[in-house]
Amino acid sequence: MSNNREKVMRPVGVALLIGVVAGVVGSLVLANGWAPPPVQAAKTTLRTEVRPGELDDYYGFFSGGHSGEVRVLGLPSMRVFKRIPVFNIDSGSGWGITNESRAMLGDTYVGDTHHVHGSYTDGTYNGKYLWVNDKANNRVARIRVDLLEVDTILPIPHTQGSHGIFPQRAPHTEWVILNSEFRAPLKNDGRGDPVDASTYTGVHTIIDAEKMEIIAQVMVPTNLDLAATDYSGRYSFATSYNSEGGATISEMLAKDRDYLVVFDWDRIKEALASGKFNVVDGIKMLDGGLDSGLTLYIPVPKNPHGVNVSPDGKYAIASGKVSPTASVISIEKLADAFDGKIEPKDTIVAEPEIGLGPLHTTYDGRGNAYTSLFIDSQVVKWNIQKAIDIYGNTKPGDTAVVDRLDVHYQIGHTMASMAETKEADGNFLVALNKISKDRFLNVGPIKPENDQLVDISNEKMVLVKDEPAYIEPHDCIIVRRDIIEPIVKHRPRMDEHPLAVTESGIERDGKKVTVRVTASAPVYGLQRVEVNEGDEVTFIVTNNDEIPDLAHGFAISNYNINFAVGPFQTKSVTFTADKPGMHWIYCTNFCHALHLEMRMRLIVKAKA
Ligand code: K7E
Ligand code: CUA
Ligand code: CA
């Protein structure tokens, strides 16, 4: 099996790297005539099947990549339960169509979600919020776990390529930090010399987790890719692959080493308290340069990618990407490095060789790290203490590597259950593979990714199942069901929405018409609404059905309006009645034996 794969994938990976170096991106050519390997017989001691009537053991929160959404899965079944629209328009729920969602989205309705992380208390999830980045349009969205819906979208000025995001882990989440992967002009107004990349800046944004406001931005000369926070509430980390400050791919690959940048929150708080900042566009901007004292620039091999902190809180591990290594940084040593007692590089306590194309690392809570290898298409399991023990004194045959698992193919992130908490349980791991080649029925040019479930509860990793994933999840977190399940409600309080409708009716104020409608199976609170062509019409719809799981829809024929309203929820929409005629408004969500009769007429009288 691995022989077969090696022939195909090794050369592809190496070709890709060479292609990248040569500036020929996208030379990912897969050989023809290749036969899929036999399915590995799963020998697993965990429950991996969820039969009808049974519930999953974990919630999985997956980013949706450039679909702009977030998905909720169950593990181990890997079933997708819900797609939470975030930065996209969603015809199913009406996200991007209703006034409530448009107040957050505006007219910007594409996004690129890479990383979902939850709110913490004392190093583990508290089930209150999730945050997700929008790399495309530089926003951060917060999702309420009790409804699993977005409640705030915050635009992040001064940044491009808003990428790595991570909440504070202890004592609880007050800050959320966000990295700008692309250096860009701070005042990006097209004035001055926007071509001169030496004027660009990288930004580490600090967000108030509750208020969803920007507390400050730390400016750095380099770019900032992935993000992590420590388990004490003192540090955040960012990998930087463009310490060169380059604007082209060859410039970004010029140096042999780049950085893991560490931000010292104690020093940042001090600088904020003592007024050591400039205010730009109303935002406190701190200097985080090499001599600022707020930051530490640890040299790590060329163009690193992920950074992940081990669940014991001891190590931040940067994955090498271009280098076949991972760099293990001792968090304990950081204070001395900040105080100048040791060199930044002396915080590195191991740099094991693990394979080609290391991207992201996850943990089992038993001292092992699992790193995704993009080029090798593998997950490699390695022992952190062993890597430290042999560092600088590696004898022939010494290796920290414990096991390797072939995955299908070109793995990006990998994440183990509860691995981003101090309660990492070492049960399951998900490999989020970019390419599903030959694992699923062919569906045309754009194929699903392949999210593979792996049992890591024993010494050897066991592949349990393949799950096709629609465009294009990057990352996920896997959270024990007992943390999330008690939080998620069947419905909000009805009065949570200030416009909740208790009595249906029509109100006119000049050309503005407000229509309040209740929805209760199988009737709307009104049967007919008459307006004049050119009126600005607002419909406010409240679902006042007491029954959990009974959503109603609200589609206005020919008006490009369609949304769903869950129990006790209220949604509204405003539009100009520019199409005269009779237009049926109907319920789109099958709610009752008389669902088809659940409709009302919108009469738009012609001007003349
Ligand atoms: Cu590696 Cu955006 Cu997390 Cu993609 S990033 S894989
Ligand atoms: Cu209400 Cu169908
Ligand atoms: Ca570089």
Side-chain angles (χ1 to χ4, degrees):
M1 153 178 181
S2 69
N3 283 350
N4 245 341
R5 279 190 53 283
E6 218 102 324
K7 267 184 223 133
V8 181
M9 300 311 288
R10 281 274 185 154
V12 167
V14 173
L16 177 73
L17 236 199
I18 293 165
V20 166
V21 174
V24 189
V25 186
S27 60
L28 203 84
V29 185
L30 295 165
N32 290 323
W34 173 87
V39 177
Q40 188 176 339
K43 282 180 237 77
T44 162
T45 47
L46 295 173
R47 180 178 79 125
T48 60
E49 294 301 328
V50 178
R51 286 177 302 198
E54 293 177 347
L55 293 178
D56 278 284
D57 298 317
Y58 296 91
Y59 279 82
F61 300 107
F62 285 60
S63 58
H66 49 98
S67 70
E69 62 187 26
V70 165
R71 298 176 196 146
V72 185
L73 278 73
L75 275 72
S77 77
M78 297 295 279
R79 295 175 293 189
V80 180
F81 300 140
K82 181 171 184 171
R83 295 167 45 195
I84 306 172
V86 182
F87 301 112
N88 56 320
I89 288 187
D90 182 56
S91 178
S93 62
W95 188 258
I97 294 154
T98 58
N99 291 346
E100 290 74 17
S101 56
R102 285 179 58 88
M104 292 182 244
L105 278 174
D107 292 323
T108 307
Y109 46 76
V110 297
D112 188 14
T113 58
H114 282 223
H115 308 111
V116 187
H117 288 288
S119 51
Y120 289 83
T121 301
D122 294 332
T124 195
Y125 298 122
N126 61 22
K128 192 167 186 194
Y129 299 122
L130 303 169
W131 287 273
V132 66
N133 71 305
D134 172 14
K135 180 168 168 176
N137 289 300
N138 303 301
R139 295 172 290 179
V140 169
R142 186 176 70 185
I143 293 166
R144 278 172 59 166
V145 172
D146 65 345
L147 301 178
L148 289 173
E149 292 182 357
V150 172
D151 82 338
T152 316
I153 293 178
L154 177 68
I156 313 291
H158 304 150
T159 64
Q160 280 187 50
S162 292
H163 192 223
I165 184 169
F166 220 102
Q168 179 181 353
R169 285 194 250 222
H172 62 270
T173 304
E174 289 176 46
W175 286 7
V176 176
I177 52 98
L178 174 79
N179 287 337
S180 66
E181 184 189 331
F182 308 150
R183 297 164 71 253
L186 200 64
K187 268 250 175 257
N188 197 21
D189 55 6
R191 290 169 211 279
D193 184 4
V195 176
D196 180 5
S198 72
T199 66
Y200 299 174
T201 185
V203 175
H204 192 64
T205 301
I206 302 168
I207 299 162
D208 185 311
E210 273 305 323
K211 294 188 195 144
M212 283 298 276
E213 291 168 5
I214 296 173
I215 291 172
Q217 292 186 315
V218 186
M219 294 180 293
V220 294
T222 181
N223 84 322
L224 301 170
D225 189 13
L226 270 298
T229 57
D230 75 335
Y231 277 89
S232 76
R234 169 147 189 210
Y235 300 114
S236 49
F237 304 91
T239 45
S240 169
Y241 60 77
N242 187 15
S243 63
E244 297 88 347
T248 66
I249 195 162
S250 53
E251 286 168 9
M252 295 182 212
L253 284 157
K255 288 193 188 167
D256 277 342
R257 288 183 96 81
D258 287 294
Y259 295 126
L260 179 75
V261 187
V262 187
F263 296 83
D264 184 330
W265 293 14
D266 289 353
R267 289 162 181 256
I268 288 172
K269 282 173 195 163
E270 251 174 58
L272 284 171
S274 58
K276 287 195 198 118
F277 53 80
N278 293 322
V279 177
V280 182
D281 305 325
I283 296 171
K284 292 173 184 162
M285 308 294 298
L286 297 152
D287 171 23
L290 275 79
D291 303 317
S292 66
L294 306 186
T295 46
L296 194 69
Y297 291 76
I298 302 172
V300 293
K302 201 183 184 91
N303 290 49
H305 189 52
V307 55
N308 300 86
V309 172
S310 58
D312 57 11
K314 287 186 181 166
Y315 308 109
I317 297 184
S319 305
K321 191 170 79 184
V322 174
S323 163
T325 57
S327 300
V328 183
I329 282 91
S330 163
I331 292 173
E332 207 181 13
K333 290 180 187 268
L334 290 175
D336 278 353
F338 268 101
D339 291 341
K341 291 179 192 155
I342 57 171
E343 292 291 309
K345 69 169 170 30
D346 298 330
T347 61
I348 299 174
V349 293
E351 220 153 60
E353 269 209 32
I354 51 177
L356 295 182
L359 290 188
H360 299 281
T361 299
T362 190
Y363 304 96
D364 61 9
R366 297 186 293 266
N368 298 303
Y370 299 73
T371 302
S372 56
L373 301 173
F374 180 84
I375 294 170
D376 276 337
S377 286
Q378 286 180 334
V379 174
V380 56
K381 172 181 178 180
W382 53 281
N383 186 271
I384 302 169
Q385 191 55 51
K386 178 78 196 236
I388 294 168
D389 292 345
I390 64 176
Y391 183 51
N393 182 29
T394 311
K395 301 195 182 65
D398 271 359
T399 177
V401 172
V402 178
D403 190 24
R404 292 177 187 278
L405 179 77
D406 292 331
V407 292
H408 303 83
Y409 289 103
Q410 314 306 80
I411 181 174
H413 275 269
T414 184
M415 183 62 76
S417 40
M418 295 296 288
E420 289 295 345
T421 76
K422 66 178 186 190
E423 297 182 305
D425 62 16
N427 282 334
F428 288 106
L429 171 147
V430 172
L432 291 97
N433 309 313
K434 298 295 165 198
I435 292 178
S436 61
K437 183 175 161 48
D438 295 339
R439 296 295 268 200
F440 306 118
L441 292 176
N442 186 9
V443 290
I446 296 184
K447 306 200 182 348
E449 300 193 17
N450 186 0
D451 293 346
Q452 291 183 304
L453 184 72
V454 178
D455 174 352
I456 56 165
S457 63
N458 296 296
E459 174 94 353
K460 289 244 160 237
M461 293 178 274
V462 181
L463 176 62
V464 175
K465 63 181 68 167
D466 283 10
E467 199 61 34
Y470 178 64
I471 289 172
E472 184 225 11
H474 279 247
D475 196 7
C476 67
I477 55 171
I478 302 165
V479 185
R480 276 195 338 261
R481 166 183 157 192
D482 64 276
I483 295 172
I484 301 296
E485 207 181 14
I487 307 271
V488 185
K489 299 174 187 159
H490 289 288
R491 55 192 177 212
R493 282 194 342 265
M494 208 187 296
D495 61 8
E496 252 197 57
H497 195 297
L499 302 178
V501 178
T502 46
E503 218 172 305
S504 300
I506 307 169
E507 214 176 281
R508 176 178 281 279
D509 176 9
K511 287 179 82 65
K512 287 190 179 179
V513 182
T514 305
V515 186
R516 294 184 177 79
V517 195
T518 55
S520 181
V523 285
Y524 292 121
L526 294 170
Q527 295 290 298
R528 191 174 83 230
V529 173
E530 291 184 24
V531 300
N532 300 318
E533 183 181 0
D535 282 349
E536 185 196 290
V537 181
T538 299
F539 273 92
I540 306 165
V541 185
T542 297
N543 175 346
N544 56 0
D545 258 306
E546 300 266 351
I547 305 159
D549 202 1
L550 195 67
H552 295 291
F554 193 86
I556 309 179
S557 302
N558 308 316
Y559 266 91
N560 198 28
I561 288 167
N562 177 21
F563 56 89
V565 194
F568 283 19
Q569 285 193 302
T570 296
K571 291 187 185 169
S572 62
V573 69
T574 301
F575 61 97
T576 303
D578 54 5
K579 294 179 200 77
M582 190 286 294
H583 306 279
W584 281 106
I585 295 172
Y586 72 99
C587 177
T588 49
N589 210 81
F590 209 109
C591 57
H592 191 275
L594 295 172
H595 153 78
L596 298 173
E597 288 84 349
M598 185 166 177
R599 47 190 162 114
M600 62 194 280
R601 283 178 293 166
L602 171 67
I603 311 286
V604 182
K605 283 182 251 162
K607 256 182 192 147

